[in-house]
Amino acid sequence: MELYKDKAVDYLQLIVAGKIDEAYEKYTSPELGHHNPYFPGDVESLKQAMKENDDMSPNKTLEVKQTIEEGEMVMVFSHIKQNPDDLGAAAVHIFRFSDGLIVEMWDVGQPVPEDSPNENGMF
């Protein structure tokens, strides 16, 4: 049985690879709701925004640092860069699954600063 956290990571990796339609067909419910404050909460708005981001940043990368799965909830903590020279951002994606598909999603991010007094770093 495939774990939900494996599905969530594959979904994100497909998105970053520009395979947005494939990611949605494979992993999301048609009733997907999301909580990104910059777009309407429907599935098509988020999908379109992801396609626009892919057009602007076709060389983005995602490095998964940590995943946590509890029941039908999954958290993926990752380092996302829009291009190889970008310091990137720490991102947390939270997914709620139902019947094996993503039905709800949250995402939060924080830019990686050029200089930080924290000796532990962001990752």
Side-chain angles (χ1 to χ4, degrees):
M1 180 177 107
E2 187 176 24
L3 297 172
Y4 289 139
K5 65 183 182 178
D6 294 335
K7 290 181 177 188
V9 168
D10 194 44
Y11 168 81
L12 291 171
Q13 289 173 333
L14 286 168
I15 297 294
V16 168
K19 299 177 180 179
I20 296 151
D21 287 330
E22 180 181 343
Y24 274 78
E25 289 168 19
K26 193 171 181 180
Y27 293 114
T28 67
S29 166
E31 288 81 40
L32 170 70
H34 69 88
H35 299 274
N36 186 309
Y38 299 104
F39 310 104
D42 63 289
V43 66
E44 285 305 317
S45 296
L46 184 63
K47 187 177 181 182
Q48 185 59 39
M50 289 177 171
K51 288 180 177 186
E52 289 171 10
N53 178 265
D54 186 61
D55 288 343
M56 293 184 326
S57 302
N59 297 316
K60 72 182 146 295
T61 60
L62 174 128
E63 182 182 350
V64 174
K65 301 294 186 174
Q66 179 73 42
T67 59
I68 298 171
E69 180 174 339
E70 184 174 315
E72 293 188 329
M73 299 295 294
V74 171
M75 183 280 307
V76 180
F77 174 57
S78 56
H79 184 190
I80 297 176
K81 294 173 121 185
Q82 296 300 312
N83 62 64
D85 299 323
D86 182 22
L87 291 174
V92 177
H93 289 87
I94 303 169
F95 301 91
R96 184 171 65 84
F97 284 80
S98 180
D99 295 324
L101 296 174
I102 301 166
V103 294
E104 196 167 14
M105 186 171 77
W106 297 259
D107 60 316
V108 293
Q110 180 179 14
V112 174
E114 211 168 297
D115 294 309
S116 171
N118 189 320
E119 66 278 2
N120 297 318
M122 291 186 70
F123 305 102

